[in-house]
Amino acid sequence: MELVAVLGRDTRRTVIVLPDLHEADTVELVLDLLQLPHVRLVVESRSGSAAHQVLSDSAGAELDLDLEQWRDQHRFEQWLASRTEDQDSTVPGIAASAGVDLSDPADICEADPWQVTVAYERDGDHDHGGLRAAWLRAGQSLCREQPAASRALALLCVLGDSADPRLVPALTELSTQAAWDVRWSRVRGDVAPPWPGAVATLAMGKGPLADCLLVAGPGGVVKSLDAGNAVPRGRLPQGWWEPADITVMADGTVLVLDETGQVHAEANWAARLPGSGIARLLDDSPSGMQLLRTTVQEHTGTALASGAGFELGFVALGGPTGVVRTFGDFADSASLHRGPVSALAAVSIPLDGETALPLIYSGGADGTVRAWSPGHAAMTAPLVHRSSPVIGLDAAVTAMGRCVVVAWGDGLVQWIRCDSDVQQTFQPGPPVRAIALDRNGCVFVGMDEALVCLTPRQKLADEVRSGS
């Protein structure tokens, strides 16, 4: 499970309290957590319940509150006198959610999210038009303290195309006051257009791939989607590598960084060189773009990005010690992080009609995002800093100005308008694997079971900026 995997990697001492644990289907989590030596558990279960029967056979110490030495008899008698027969026979949480219509999106977005979650988990025979599957897929995001509009947004992002068609307009209406607008979403099981598969990394296309979204999945599959509607455009031959990062050069060449740090170049979609086939055959010298690809492939790294330049463009490669190197029109290096570089993004800022300033944003496992222009010193203060590693990063010059999007290891997506202090966040619930941003301001969020296209609401962003 996700929680067990995260706690297994973080060896700090942790105490977890699990109250009202009575059902057997939740005991597996406890048994898995018991295998972690740095985790301590305090679990409450009712005597005779399915969970209690299983946990009694575990290695944990049991504090039986039914025994007199563990309770204040006077206070116990007071509590017992205050109970009614109906209360004793009611499972906590179910009665409180009995008035909620689990098939009504407005009802569930306004209700206590923990009670709705319990009700959906127990009602496995009815999918409520697709709301149950969407709610359980969004998971922990819905249980945060937030307005009903934000819950409707999270549900809309993971609602499959097999759901009741009335739910999309209903959730869209409910989410009008949320900070984001959902352009489209593709969820596991969708067929029109099809779900592109689990996402390992994302990149926006360039050159012949302009207005395309490149999706790399586990197993080396790289697909091209129409960024406007997620309709498939094509796919590259499946590689033998596991993709860790991906970028597209100015001519349409796709660079894939694998899990070992090696860079692979695929030019099937690249623009053809000018001239006839005979002329190109007679001139067998490598082009400048080919030399750049070869140079990059001679190095290893942990993150990858590319940007436009005055001739070939440039490629940025981050390393395990926090150093970022650039190749091509702007060759330089800078040490930007303590620890590995985990994500890179590159933009070119036009200065006049003929020149542009290359700007690289670098995210690290140290929880910082820093800006650096090759040929200049890096900014001393980070653009943003959190106590979570950066796992995805992109930047673009949009109609709203220069913007950066960051995906953090704790599942948060953060959108930043660089020319102001305006920021917006999105928490989809499932772990975010990759992020991308296009020139139209669309933010693409890739997860294991969903791919979502969002745009920050301009009106709300302006209100945040003005302080209204």
Side-chain angles (χ1 to χ4, degrees):
M1 296 179 66
E2 178 190 342
L3 175 62
V4 178
V6 171
L7 290 174
R9 293 191 296 268
D10 187 345
T11 57
R12 291 175 295 180
R13 290 180 177 272
T14 303
V15 177
I16 299 176
V17 179
L18 298 172
D20 297 327
L21 189 72
H22 308 307
E23 298 302 310
D25 55 2
T26 55
V27 173
E28 289 186 10
L29 172 62
V30 177
L31 297 178
D32 290 340
L33 291 172
L34 284 174
Q35 305 305 312
L36 303 177
H38 57 284
V39 174
R40 295 293 181 266
L41 298 173
V42 179
V43 181
E44 177 192 16
S45 64
R46 190 183 301 112
S47 298
S49 67
H52 181 262
Q53 293 175 13
V54 176
L55 294 175
S56 295
D57 295 330
S58 70
E62 182 176 358
L63 183 70
D64 190 349
L65 297 181
D66 290 333
L67 300 178
E68 292 185 4
Q69 66 262 36
W70 300 117
R71 68 173 181 241
D72 183 319
Q73 187 63 29
H74 176 66
R75 293 184 62 187
F76 175 71
E77 290 174 354
Q78 286 182 322
W79 172 83
L80 200 61
S82 68
R83 302 284 292 175
T84 67
E85 185 177 347
D86 289 340
Q87 285 177 315
D88 289 335
S89 61
T90 301
V91 178
I94 298 301
S97 62
V100 179
D101 183 351
L102 297 178
S103 298
D104 185 339
D107 258 20
I108 64 173
C109 289
E110 292 282 0
D112 184 316
W114 295 101
Q115 294 171 0
V116 174
T117 301
V118 170
Y120 274 142
E121 287 178 341
R122 294 176 182 274
D123 192 9
D125 297 330
H126 188 6
D127 199 35
H128 300 279
L131 281 176
R132 179 182 183 274
W135 184 281
L136 296 180
R137 181 177 284 125
Q140 58 187 338
S141 173
L142 297 167
C143 293
R144 295 183 300 112
E145 188 69 29
Q146 61 188 310
S150 298
R151 290 199 179 95
L153 174 76
L155 284 172
L156 191 58
C157 288
V158 293
L159 189 71
D161 65 6
S162 61
D164 187 327
R166 294 171 295 181
L167 291 177
V168 171
L171 288 169
T172 301
E173 176 69 21
L174 291 169
S175 65
T176 53
Q177 294 303 310
W180 300 85
D181 179 48
V182 180
R183 292 298 183 91
W184 52 257
S185 66
R186 299 292 172 260
V187 179
R188 179 187 290 273
D190 284 1
V191 294
W195 175 60
V199 175
T201 184
L202 298 170
M204 299 309 306
K206 301 185 186 75
L209 293 173
D211 300 321
C212 287
L213 175 69
L214 277 292
V215 181
V221 178
V222 179
K223 298 179 180 179
S224 172
L225 309 180
D226 188 312
N229 54 21
V231 171
R233 290 269 192 95
R235 61 187 294 165
L236 291 175
Q238 185 168 347
W240 51 265
W241 57 80
E242 287 293 329
D245 209 347
I246 185 172
T247 190
V248 183
M249 300 174 70
D251 68 340
T253 297
V254 178
L255 299 180
V256 180
L257 182 73
D258 70 22
E259 78 281 8
T260 69
Q262 297 292 324
V263 178
H264 307 268
E266 180 54 68
N268 282 2
W269 287 325
R272 295 182 178 275
L273 295 173
S276 68
I278 295 177
R280 290 199 300 270
L281 183 63
L282 294 176
D283 183 9
D284 59 356
S285 59
S287 67
M289 192 64 75
Q290 289 171 329
L291 290 174
L292 176 56
R293 290 198 300 260
T294 300
T295 300
V296 173
Q297 289 180 280
E298 292 173 349
H299 295 78
T300 60
T302 56
L304 186 67
S306 62
F310 53 82
E311 183 180 358
L312 303 174
F314 65 96
V315 177
L317 195 63
T321 61
V323 175
V324 177
R325 293 168 291 178
T326 56
F327 309 90
D329 292 343
F330 309 100
D332 200 358
S333 65
S335 180
L336 302 180
H337 299 279
R338 294 181 177 179
V341 179
S342 53
L344 289 172
V347 292
S348 295
I349 304 174
L351 299 179
D352 53 45
E354 297 182 357
T355 61
L357 177 71
L359 187 60
I360 293 172
Y361 292 97
S362 176
D366 58 0
T368 64
V369 175
R370 298 185 177 276
W372 168 58
S373 179
H376 302 79
M379 293 179 60
T380 54
L383 176 68
V384 63
H385 182 201
R386 295 183 71 238
S387 59
S388 180
V390 177
I391 59 99
L393 182 65
D394 206 359
V397 178
T398 73
M400 298 177 71
R402 179 162 38 92
C403 299
V404 174
V405 288
V406 189
W408 299 92
D410 59 4
L412 183 74
V413 173
Q414 187 174 16
W415 173 85
I416 304 167
R417 196 195 300 183
C418 298
D419 60 356
S420 70
D421 58 355
V422 174
Q423 300 186 19
Q424 290 177 189
T425 59
F426 173 60
Q427 190 103 30
V432 176
R433 304 303 184 191
I435 199 87
L437 174 67
D438 74 3
R439 60 188 178 185
N440 299 315
C442 294
V443 178
F444 304 89
V445 183
M447 296 162 277
D448 291 334
E449 296 192 351
L451 175 62
V452 183
C453 176
L454 305 163
T455 53
R457 293 190 189 274
Q458 176 74 49
K459 180 174 181 292
L460 291 179
D462 289 340
E463 289 175 354
V464 172
R465 185 178 185 180
S466 63
S468 61

